[in-house]
Amino acid sequence: MEPRWLDDDEMHTWLQVVALAEVLPARLDAQVRQDSGLTHFEYQVLAMLSEAPERTLRMSWLARRTNATLPRLSHVVKRLEDRGLVTRVRSASDARATDASLTDAGWEQIVEAAPHHVRFVRERILDQLTPQQVTALGEIAEAVLTSLDPSGDLTMRAADAPH
């Protein structure tokens, strides 16, 4: 069966999406590194913990929320732990599980980094769009994420995570 090839408009749109998917992560990483000395992934880990009740999440949930494998997350959390930003402890509710918690130093780091990151997101992305485009972008992202992540693991809010 012959595939449904992209027409010219679809191809243009697809190439823009691919370019965005390539450029955006690099720019986010550069901004966070410059302003806080963190990688963007480290920032995401700290941000997810900062939003969680008692600033603590089960490692397996944190891995899903940051779209990381458990080994990758463990490696990064170990680096953050070595810097005094995160601690890991056995879960009080499940002895087989490990929880990651944001330390006071980690909280201070994310509080310091967040305004710079938000300014970048606002200036480089959201302020480039009309309010209607921002709404449409959210709807588009949700539709595509629903297709790519039907279980919603990656789109769950930290406050809704099991603990």
Side-chain angles (χ1 to χ4, degrees):
M1 185 165 179
E2 185 74 15
R4 279 183 48 219
W5 297 107
L6 304 181
D7 66 26
D8 289 345
D9 288 340
E10 291 169 330
M11 180 60 82
H12 173 77
T13 298
W14 175 242
L15 292 176
Q16 293 296 94
V17 169
V18 169
L20 180 61
E22 294 296 327
V23 171
L24 184 59
R27 295 292 159 85
L28 289 169
D29 200 55
Q31 176 275 311
V32 175
R33 279 183 188 274
Q34 177 183 340
D35 292 331
S36 67
L38 297 166
T39 66
H40 188 253
F41 185 70
E42 289 169 339
Y43 177 90
Q44 285 300 110
V45 169
L46 296 180
M48 292 303 99
L49 290 172
S50 76
E51 295 174 4
E54 299 178 31
R55 300 181 191 154
T56 300
L57 289 173
R58 181 138 317 142
M59 287 285 290
S60 58
W61 188 88
L62 186 56
R64 285 193 314 270
R65 183 62 182 101
T66 57
N67 196 23
T69 63
L70 201 48
R72 177 184 184 212
L73 178 67
S74 292
H75 178 73
V76 170
V77 167
K78 171 73 171 109
R79 281 198 326 251
L80 293 170
E81 199 172 28
D82 290 346
R83 291 162 59 187
L85 303 176
V86 172
T87 60
R88 283 186 285 188
V89 296
R90 285 276 170 223
S91 172
S93 62
D94 182 350
R96 299 168 297 167
T98 302
D99 292 340
S101 295
L102 193 63
T103 65
D104 290 342
W107 173 255
E108 290 172 15
Q109 179 81 35
I110 197 69
V111 165
E112 183 179 318
H116 300 287
H117 187 60
V118 168
R119 186 175 304 112
F120 177 87
V121 169
R122 177 158 302 289
E123 289 175 358
R124 297 297 181 143
I125 300 164
L126 298 178
D127 287 351
Q128 304 305 309
L129 306 173
T130 66
Q132 296 79 12
Q133 288 173 318
V134 170
T135 299
L137 181 60
E139 291 168 351
I140 291 164
E142 183 176 356
V144 173
L145 283 171
T146 297
S147 172
L148 297 174
D149 179 33
S151 66
D153 286 340
L154 303 177
T155 55
M156 190 181 349
R157 294 178 328 124
D160 297 334
H163 31 268

